[in-house]
Amino acid sequence: MKKPLSARQAVMLAACALLALAVLLRPAAAPGVETERGGAQPRFEYQGADGRIDINRADAAALELLPGIGPARARDILEYREKYGGFGGEYELLAIPGFSLELVEGLIDYICVEDSQ
């Protein structure tokens, strides 16, 4: 039969579990944003000032990093951008067939429109 944990052991186990949870749930710094240690993560040419992906500058590979965007949707974004000269705002993605409000709302925290091509 196993011996029950002492109060000290139970407190230490709970503290370790909370520390592990805090590390796992800590948000990652956006690329190009200063971290607490003072180093900056690399910024890519397709990123806006806040680290989000600029849909007017991103290539297909960068667009495919976005949630819900695979090769076909990335190609649709590039074709729309080429045909119309870029996006005036994030919600203009709704003009692309197959892009729903739900999809665009899910992208809002990850995309920006900083300049037109």
Side-chain angles (χ1 to χ4, degrees), residues 64-87:
E64 288 178 33
L65 296 172
L66 295 167
I69 303 297
R73 285 188 172 148
R75 187 173 47 255
D76 291 342
I77 292 171
L78 294 175
E79 288 173 1
Y80 182 92
R81 194 171 72 191
E82 185 177 316
K83 184 174 182 179
Y84 296 103
F87 294 90

Side-chain angles (χ1 to χ4, degrees), residues 40-117:
Q41 295 182 6
R43 178 174 298 284
F44 300 97
E45 62 191 34
Y46 55 79
Q47 288 181 292
D50 59 3
R52 294 184 294 167
I53 293 177
D54 184 345
I55 58 174
N56 278 333
R57 293 186 290 161
D59 59 12
L63 292 169
E64 288 178 33
L65 296 172
L66 295 167
I69 303 297
R73 285 188 172 148
R75 187 173 47 255
D76 291 342
I77 292 171
L78 294 175
E79 288 173 1
Y80 182 92
R81 194 171 72 191
E82 185 177 316
K83 184 174 182 179
Y84 296 103
F87 294 90
E90 293 87 347
Y91 285 93
E92 194 174 335
L93 286 170
L94 292 170
I96 300 174
F99 278 68
S100 66
L101 181 59
E102 181 181 358
L103 174 64
V104 175
E105 289 284 333
L107 294 171
I108 290 299
D109 291 337
Y110 304 101
I111 63 173
C112 66
V113 173
E114 292 200 350
D115 61 17
S116 294
Q117 289 184 330

